[in-house]
Amino acid sequence: MTEAAIDAVDDGDRKLVEHERAELRDFIKGLSPDDIKSGGWFTKLVAQGLRSYTDKVDWQYFQERYTGVPADAVVDQRIKMAARYAALEGGLSAGAYTATVGSLGGASPATVPAAVATMMVDVAFITRIQLRLAYDVAVLYRVPLDLSDPEDMWKLSRVAFTIKGGEMAREGVAKAVPIMMWPLIKRFYSGAVLNAARGLPFVGRFLLQRNIIKIGIPVVGVPLAVVMNRYTTLLAGRHARAVFRNEARVIELAEGLSERTRHPQSMLWVAWLVVMADHGIADDEALLIRHLVRLVRDRHQVIDGRLEQLVDIDASEVWRRLDAEPGTSLTSSRWPIGWPPWTATSTSARRHSSPSFATAAVVADRRRDSQPVFDS
């Protein structure tokens, strides 16, 4: 999107972006130099721009606007819209920034208040739009987030702003970026990542450091700012889609297990036994157990304090629990071949069984044999 292309964009888009920029200029004026340097600006931006947004935008909001449309289709449109707004804003900010720096001769942009303010409007705009985009994706895939919970807020921040080369390759999001842009994109995403919950000011410092690349190249001009904003927002959106869509699949599995079971407490024990079969816990497995526990608590009013305090799980104890349940039968001759998965002789075979889906497979196999494990 060149300067000519920016002039040709939809008038409604331009007005919306200019309104957002004006709002953020007022926000930046209220910041102190220490707010910017310490990263405190991010905490204030979240309080000012995200809380009010999440109060308005929820599942019902999207239902009213996209009735009957599959979540994948709506997510795709939200990502494209956010990338379009980001590109437009990048062009407007870069034009203002270049004009400001050009009028100051050899002065360093980082020491000029007007240039810093212009840069911060761009950083704040991209930060807010990518954070809101990640939130939209979570809502559309029905992934529960409570942004008053620091853990969920940290999760949203990591999804919105953290993406590494390995994640790009694994999720296929890199296909959105032209080859000629790869060196710059890699530089943008290199260095520190959000890998520890250090609080919102840390996120602010991280984002400022990441975006400094836009003023690290003398007079970057409008085209570079446009493509950087566009493609980093596309990548952020596609990364959010990969993360939250996967979680939605895990939630769907957990909901199916919780809905079908007649023995919710025993189901939790069997699920945890399967997960721990290889003495390791994958991220998806931890996610599955977390949602199973939540759904069993909400739907069946069951909270298992014994399981909550458990360190090592004993298979024989699980069998005793199941034997005590009405309508269950666990004679070993009735197990399908290869089950339970911990009977596999090799570690790789046990890991390959993917306990996130192994639990569902146990249920399906036992249903087929008319000998329910925890589904009777």
Side-chain angles (χ1 to χ4, degrees), residues 19-343:
H19 173 76
E20 294 274 328
R21 279 169 47 80
E23 184 180 285
L24 287 170
R25 275 195 295 270
D26 290 338
F27 168 75
I28 298 300
K29 287 178 183 177
L31 298 177
S32 68
D34 185 64
D35 286 333
I36 295 175
K37 183 178 179 180
S38 69
W41 65 270
F42 180 73
T43 306
K44 293 185 176 182
L45 183 67
V46 168
Q48 183 243 33
L50 186 61
R51 307 296 187 194
S52 59
Y53 182 79
T54 57
D55 287 343
K56 179 181 70 173
V57 178
D58 55 13
W59 171 248
Q60 187 63 34
Y61 173 90
F62 288 115
Q63 279 288 90
E64 292 172 356
R65 285 158 179 75
Y66 304 98
T67 303
V69 181
D72 284 342
V74 182
V75 167
D76 183 70
Q77 291 303 305
R78 300 297 287 188
I79 292 173
K80 289 176 179 176
M81 181 179 69
R84 188 169 69 249
Y85 290 164
L88 176 56
E89 191 282 332
L92 295 173
S93 282
Y97 177 81
T98 301
T100 300
V101 174
S103 68
L104 297 169
S108 170
T111 64
V112 179
V116 171
T118 301
M119 178 195 72
M120 283 303 301
V121 167
D122 177 66
V123 173
F125 184 96
I126 295 304
T127 296
R128 188 163 73 175
I129 201 170
Q130 291 181 0
L131 201 59
R132 287 177 173 179
L133 176 59
Y135 172 80
D136 288 351
V137 174
V139 170
L140 285 162
Y141 284 126
R142 308 297 293 273
V143 175
L145 287 176
D146 178 5
L147 298 188
S148 63
D149 182 341
E151 184 177 343
D152 279 2
M153 186 65 232
W154 179 252
K155 175 181 178 178
L156 183 66
S157 298
R158 284 205 61 188
V159 172
F161 307 128
T162 301
I163 185 169
K164 297 177 283 186
E167 290 170 336
M168 291 184 191
R170 183 172 63 253
E171 297 164 356
V173 298
K175 295 177 182 178
V177 181
I179 294 177
M180 69 182 68
M181 282 296 299
W182 257 110
L184 198 58
I185 293 295
K186 285 184 176 179
R187 180 178 170 186
F188 183 84
Y189 286 114
S190 66
V193 294
L194 297 176
N195 55 9
R198 303 184 188 179
L200 297 187
F202 172 77
V203 179
R205 294 196 300 273
F206 167 83
L207 293 172
L208 196 57
Q209 180 183 9
R210 171 184 278 186
N211 281 273
I212 208 72
I213 187 175
K214 294 178 183 176
I215 65 169
I217 303 173
V219 193
V220 295
V222 173
L224 182 59
V226 167
V227 294
M228 282 292 291
N229 280 11
R230 171 179 167 77
Y231 287 118
T232 56
T233 301
L234 272 177
L235 290 174
R238 295 186 180 192
H239 178 54
R241 178 173 61 191
V243 171
F244 289 127
R245 193 176 192 278
N246 179 68
E247 183 164 353
R249 292 173 65 243
V250 174
I251 292 173
E252 186 174 74
L253 172 60
E255 287 178 338
L257 293 172
S258 175
E259 182 179 348
R260 291 195 302 268
T261 186
R262 297 181 189 175
H263 306 295
Q265 190 167 13
S266 292
M267 179 197 65
L268 293 178
W269 281 82
V270 172
W272 186 238
L273 181 63
V274 174
V275 165
M276 293 303 293
D278 60 357
H279 307 290
I281 308 171
D283 289 344
D284 282 356
E285 295 165 359
L287 196 61
L288 175 64
I289 289 296
R290 178 182 174 184
H291 285 299
L292 274 177
V293 169
R294 174 180 61 83
L295 289 165
V296 165
R297 181 190 65 232
D298 294 346
R299 292 182 176 179
H300 302 280
Q301 291 73 53
V302 171
I303 300 176
D304 194 321
R306 172 84 174 86
L307 183 62
E308 183 180 22
Q309 298 175 17
L310 191 69
V311 176
D312 291 322
I313 189 164
D314 182 356
S316 61
E317 181 179 354
V318 178
W319 306 147
R320 285 194 299 271
R321 284 176 172 271
L322 293 178
D323 283 337
E325 295 279 15
T328 61
S329 176
L330 285 172
T331 56
S332 60
S333 62
R334 300 295 295 174
W335 279 102
I337 295 174
W339 288 96
W342 50 88
T343 60

